[in-house]
Structure formats: C-alpha cells, structure tokens
Amino acid sequence: MSIKTYCVILLILATLQNTGCTPHQDSNEVTHTLEGEEIDTLIFFAGQKLEKMLVWLENKQELPRSYSQGQLVTTNRSDWTVGFFPGMLWYMYEYSGDDKWKRQAEKWTDLLEVNKSLDWNTHDLGFMMFNSYGKAYHITGQPGYKATLLQTADSLAALFNPKVGTTLSWPWKKHWSHNTIIDNMMNLELLIWAATNGGDPIYEDMALQHALKTKENHVRNDFSSFHVVDYDKETGAVRASVTAQGFADESTWSRGQAWGIYGFTMMCRETGNLGCLEVAEGMANFFLDHLPEDLVPYWDFNAPGIPNEPRDASAACIAASALVELTGLTGNAYYLQAANNILSSLAQNYLYPIREENPFMIKHCTGAKPANSEVDVPLIYADYYFLEALLRLKHLEEPRFVSLGINKRS
Ligand code: GLY
C-alpha cells in the first residue's frame, strides 16, 4: 500500500472518530449509516491490528484473549474464546483473498483440532470450533475440516438431555442438576450444520428443542433474559432461574441479552421457526430500548451504579452483528439503522488508536464483573463480532462471503 493510500485511510478513521456520527438515545432515529469506504477502512483497521497480534503471538502456541498492563493475555487451546482469533483470520482471508491470511488461519485453526475429542465436555464447543473450523470448511471445502466439525458436533450432542430438552452448559458445576445458559444458544448452529452435512439428522431437532425451551424459560415476558436456568435432570422441571455473570438473578446481563438476539436470529435463519423470530425481535427491542445515549450498554442493564458502571462493548458488537441479519429476516430497516448507529458509536469512541502496540480494536469490554474478572478491557470476541458486523454490512452491498453464516448452508 502506498503512503498516500495509508494517509487517506488514517484520515477516514480520524473522521469517523471525531465528527459526523452522533449516536442518539433513540436508536430508531437515523444518525449515521456506514458507507462502503468507511466499512473498508474499518476492516483495514482490523487487518492492521491482526498483523500486530501475529507479531505478539510469534513462537507462541496460545491464543489471544485480552490485553492488560501492556501485555497480551493468552489462553490455552481449551478456552471458550479460542475460535475467535482463527475466525477473524478466515474473515480477513475471504475479504481480501490474500494468501497471507489463509496461511495464518490454517495454522491457528489446526492448533484447535484437539478440541474435537469425544470426552471434551462443554457447550462452548460451538464457539471454539464452528467459528474456526466452520469458517475453514465453508471457505475451503476441505474434507478434513468437515470431519473434525462432525466429530465435535457428536461431542456437543452428548450433552443433550431429552428429559429436559436442552444441552447441558457447564457439566463441571455440580451444585446444579442440569444448567443451561443463554450463551448456549450460540452453539446450536454447529448441531444444525452437522444434521444437514452428514451428521445425525436428529441434531437439528435437538437444536430446535433447545431454542424453544430457552424461549420458554430464559426469556421473560418483557423479553429481558435470565442468564442461567437450572433444570431437574430427571423431570425437566425448572429448579432455579439465576445469574452467574450478571448483577442479580432478576437482572439482565447485557452480553447474555446479546447472545440471545444473535442465537434466536440464527435459529430462525436455520429452521424458519417463527417463535425464534418473535424472540429475536423482542430481545432486540429490549436491548435497543435500554441502551444509554452512546448505544453501548453497561455490563448489566440493571447494574446498580449506572451511569458509573463499566460498559460491555462486546455486547454492543454481538448485537450489532445480529441486528444486520435480523433486518434481512424481518425486512425491518429499523434494525439495520440501529446496527449502523451502534457500529458508528463504537468507531467514534471505542477504538484503540491504530498505531498503539495493543493489538485489539475495541475498548471497554467486561468479561465477568461479579468475579471482578476482565473489567473494562479489550476482549477478542468483541473484535470478532465487530469485524463480522462490518462484513455483514459489506455483504448487503455485495453478497459474496460464504463464511458469514448468513448464507444458507450448502
Ligand atoms: N460465554 C461466556 C461469556 O459470554 O462470557
């Protein structure tokens, strides 16, 4: 890239960050719609940060999760977040066609193969493997990726309890009988994909049962959500509706609400189930109606010290990506405008400078506030869904990305 082009890109980034797009509390009000050049600039920014990340990761066998006190925070390959970095590399490859991204995507995806093993025991397999191996397979069509995904889907399906109608989320938390968390909606896509790509066809029914049970018990009448529902593993009765990462059992944890919007939207796309669509819209409306002025939620919608509470920008990124898809399923341009407004606010106020050593894009995320863990930090999944949302906007202009999930599976 020439110096001149680079300067133009810096200028557009500076413009996005300093002027023009003023989000407003009413996310229905037209404020700022990201245009092609701005989207490309933000994707370029993502590429620059990923280049920095690759330098940080040289000679490491660990995956990036956050950044603290001037140091990269990494995880081993069994952490729930490990799929996001390879997923971003696949996104950059599909966007640019540049083999340098493919080589890195292959390398970091291969590192995760160990997670397919049948005794691996967590619902997070979808996050870990569908975001990495799933994209690898959709883009390359290589049978090895498919075989790994199918084996992973078998591991995930082993957590399904037919007496309850959901997959168990955290098998190691023995004080619960059969816990299911709202986040678990995100992992159903792997089961559906497997059911229609050579795996057991029953997995599609499992996924739909799980979604409908979550609709029944996690989603309240006003479309806010519980984080955790514990079921009796023998009778399927609800034993408790509680939180793990939110402020209180009755509160609404912002990222949980975002996972719900995304998960129910995806389930509507994959199954055509209108109950899922109703919940996706209801949860989206709740999310948008309860945002602060800059459209980036506090870590919990009911956090007691608002406005002096940490934000969770990761929830904004996840919701923005889901809202782009929800627009296509509902035909309601309100959701697309809301996605644009949220992304514009993130671009304006929540980006680390491009030149900083910190290899992340998005500031002010919160992992688990009650545990005082990862409060007001960058998180790899915020960056992932920010990039995905941008690509989804790009896809609306020029449909060509098979890795996005918004294309029906082949
Ligand atoms: N699924 C874990 C989280 O959202 O923190």
Side-chain angles (χ1 to χ4, degrees):
M1 173 181 304
S2 71
I3 300 272
K4 188 174 163 211
T5 313
Y6 188 70
C7 289
V8 170
I9 282 165
L10 288 183
L11 193 65
I12 294 173
L13 267 177
T15 308
L16 271 168
Q17 289 180 307
N18 291 326
T19 61
C21 41
T22 306
H24 185 275
Q25 190 158 11
D26 180 356
S27 43
N28 197 18
E29 183 175 311
V30 175
T31 50
H32 188 79
T33 300
L34 291 169
E35 302 295 346
E37 199 177 48
E38 289 171 333
I39 299 170
D40 285 326
T41 301
L42 289 166
I43 297 172
F44 170 83
F45 173 66
Q48 293 286 297
K49 288 295 191 181
L50 285 169
E51 299 265 19
K52 278 189 207 299
M53 187 71 86
L54 289 167
V55 175
W56 273 101
L57 289 169
E58 246 166 38
N59 305 319
K60 277 199 168 59
Q61 297 282 304
E62 300 235 315
L63 288 110
R65 178 163 167 143
S66 185
Y67 188 81
S68 174
Q69 300 179 331
Q71 293 301 316
L72 184 68
V73 179
T74 56
T75 69
N76 69 32
R77 62 191 82 179
S78 59
D79 186 74
W80 78 274
T81 61
V82 293
F84 296 115
F85 178 59
M88 290 177 79
L89 296 169
W90 284 114
Y91 276 152
M92 287 307 293
Y93 170 56
E94 198 182 13
Y95 169 77
S96 67
D98 188 334
D99 274 340
K100 80 177 177 192
W101 294 119
K102 186 176 185 215
R103 283 191 296 276
Q104 291 293 342
E106 286 170 339
K107 174 181 155 185
W108 292 96
T109 298
D110 287 351
L111 203 65
L112 307 186
E113 190 170 11
V114 65
N115 292 327
K116 72 183 178 186
S117 91
L118 286 171
D119 58 6
W120 186 252
N121 219 0
T122 171
H123 79 106
D124 286 323
L125 285 169
F127 280 120
M128 297 157 75
M129 302 300 273
F130 205 64
N131 292 335
S132 51
Y133 275 81
K135 292 191 197 318
Y137 180 63
H138 288 127
I139 291 173
T140 68
Q142 279 177 26
Y145 292 133
K146 182 176 184 177
T148 297
L149 280 172
L150 288 173
Q151 193 175 342
T152 311
D154 292 341
S155 302
L156 181 56
L159 294 172
F160 185 80
N161 178 341
K163 292 178 190 161
V164 177
T166 70
T167 51
L168 175 62
S169 300
W170 293 326
W172 62 92
K173 298 211 176 187
K174 301 290 184 198
H175 62 292
W176 282 319
S177 177
H178 178 98
N179 63 71
T180 300
I181 63 175
I182 187 81
D183 328 24
N184 209 145
M185 285 297 303
M186 299 296 287
N187 296 317
L188 305 180
E189 193 169 1
L190 171 61
L191 292 178
I192 299 223
W193 173 85
T196 48
N197 283 274
D200 191 333
I202 196 78
Y203 294 170
E204 179 157 6
D205 185 55
M206 284 181 184
L208 187 56
Q209 277 192 56
H210 181 115
L212 296 179
K213 200 46 101 167
T214 302
K215 171 180 187 285
E216 192 181 319
N217 294 314
H218 278 79
V219 184
R220 306 184 185 108
N221 288 341
D222 64 355
F223 292 101
S224 64
S225 52
F226 292 108
H227 183 197
V228 186
V229 175
D230 186 32
Y231 296 94
D232 185 303
K233 67 181 174 201
E234 297 302 333
T235 67
V238 173
R239 295 176 74 233
S241 306
V242 295
T243 198
Q245 281 159 265
F247 163 62
D249 294 345
E250 296 298 325
S251 73
T252 298
W253 175 47
S254 305
R255 194 163 61 254
Q257 189 76 12
W259 291 140
I261 301 167
Y262 195 115
F264 280 104
T265 301
M266 174 278 294
M267 282 301 290
C268 172
R269 174 227 305 156
E270 293 295 330
T271 66
N273 184 284
L274 293 179
C276 290
L277 186 62
E278 183 202 346
V279 180
E281 284 190 271
M283 292 188 81
N285 295 340
F286 180 94
F287 189 95
L288 295 172
D289 289 347
H290 291 81
L291 289 176
E293 195 168 346
D294 75 353
L295 308 180
V296 175
Y298 296 95
W299 67 279
D300 188 297
F301 284 108
N302 307 101
I306 289 173
N308 301 311
E309 292 276 359
R311 304 296 181 118
D312 181 13
S314 77
C317 296
I318 297 159
S321 182
L323 289 168
V324 179
E325 175 160 45
L326 190 56
T327 305
L329 294 174
T330 58
N332 188 345
Y334 164 67
Y335 295 122
L336 184 58
Q337 190 59 56
N340 267 291
N341 293 347
I342 292 170
L343 293 168
S344 298
S345 177
L346 291 165
Q348 187 181 6
N349 290 317
Y350 286 78
L351 297 186
Y352 289 105
I354 193 166
R355 290 195 195 83
E356 211 175 83
E357 277 315 291
N358 178 345
F360 288 84
M361 288 191 276
I362 301 286
K363 298 178 187 175
H364 302 316
C365 305
T366 296
K369 176 75 169 48
N372 202 24
S373 168
E374 300 185 319
V375 178
D376 197 16
V377 294
L379 290 166
I380 190 72
Y381 41 96
D383 284 16
Y384 172 94
Y385 288 104
F386 184 67
L387 176 59
E388 181 182 273
L390 295 169
L391 290 171
R392 284 181 167 189
L393 288 181
K394 196 87 196 138
H395 192 74
L396 293 180
E397 290 177 1
E398 181 196 347
R400 69 180 176 93
F401 300 108
V402 299
S403 62
L404 277 178
I406 52 180
N407 303 80
K408 191 70 193 145
R409 309 266 166 257
S410 56

